[in-house]
Amino acid sequence: MSKILIVEDEEALVTILKYNLEKNGFETSFVTDGKKVLEKLHTDRPDIILLDWMLPHVSGIEICKVLRQDHSLRHLPIIMLTARGEENDKVNALSIGADDYITKPFSIPELMARIKALLRRASPKPEKEKASYKDIVMDFEKKLVYRGKRIVHLGPTEFRLLEVFLGSPEKVFSRENLLTAVWGHAIHVELRTVDVHVKRLRQSLNAAGEKDLIRTVRSMGYALMSK
Ligand code: CA
């Protein structure tokens, strides 16, 4: 049974989320204060976190940043709950490390679909132990990615994206191909979400100034390719 940590200060929404998530077979816990999140994460070890954007004391965005820098929490799937509908905020949430976002008010079936899709891509079941291209090596068992000797820090969505690229190096994937491979058919994701995650993957892979191995193919998509 997957465990979900709800981080939300609106108690009415916590009640609704708990009820519906438990009805759908999830185990839940919650905190209403941003300051208590880290402590709760270390004691509860959830499989996924629903993280409200606007929280007392520490914002969801700040929590998200902290989680992505924490060695033991980096792989934790994060869905941001945002009351704001502006495009910039959505892209901002994804670019600082969230895996998905959902805008309030949202429907429960929509949230369930997103949670299930994210859990699926966060626990890939690869057939091989390792995949590699040039100096990039992915170790599926340890959930680690290396660039040469350096460990590359990736969130679950970027990890899955790289896994897709490594499955067919030098193949050009359209954004639609990548959406289907990484996010699945079940949920609606905007095409530019793909661009945001590719950008993050690229930044992580090249963080020590390495050669960029992801190629943007104009009007076609992306490929893992040595130029
Ligand atoms: Ca709030």
Side-chain angles (χ1 to χ4, degrees), residues 52-199:
D52 184 26
W53 182 298
M54 299 292 276
L55 289 163
H57 307 300
V58 190
S59 75
I61 287 289
E62 273 162 65
I63 293 167
C64 195
K65 279 188 196 160
V66 170
L67 297 189
R68 285 299 176 247
Q69 283 158 16
D70 184 312
H71 182 71
S72 63
L73 297 169
R74 187 168 294 129
H75 295 289
L76 181 68
I78 303 171
I79 299 180
M80 295 284 308
L81 308 176
T82 165
R84 312 173 181 193
E86 291 100 357
E87 283 300 291
N88 283 345
D89 288 340
K90 293 177 183 176
V91 174
N92 193 11
L94 296 175
S95 63
I96 53 105
D99 295 289
D100 203 355
Y101 58 81
I102 190 161
T103 309
K104 296 177 194 173
F106 47 81
S107 78
I108 294 295
E110 169 78 2
L111 179 65
M112 290 303 153
R114 283 172 183 273
I115 290 171
K116 285 173 189 166
L118 181 51
L119 284 172
R120 263 199 310 276
R121 68 181 189 266
S123 338
K125 291 172 186 64
E127 285 158 18
K128 296 184 290 180
E129 278 172 29
K130 281 184 184 175
S132 65
Y133 180 72
K134 305 288 174 189
D135 61 345
I136 300 171
V137 177
M138 182 173 252
D139 183 327
F140 295 110
E141 218 150 84
K142 294 183 185 150
K143 278 204 163 192
L144 282 176
V145 174
Y146 295 91
R147 185 88 205 249
K149 285 183 178 156
R150 182 175 73 84
I151 292 182
V152 179
H153 301 303
L154 298 177
T157 301
E158 286 69 43
F159 191 92
R160 173 75 187 123
L161 196 52
L162 180 59
E163 188 191 346
V164 172
F165 281 127
L166 285 171
S168 306
E170 302 185 353
K171 172 186 167 177
V172 180
F173 289 91
S174 68
R175 290 178 177 78
E176 289 85 354
N177 288 159
L178 291 171
L179 263 189
T180 307
V182 174
W183 283 264
H185 290 288
I187 56 172
H188 173 74
V189 181
E190 292 160 50
L191 281 179
R192 67 188 187 123
T193 300
V194 176
D195 300 327
V196 176
H197 285 282
V198 169
K199 189 176 167 196

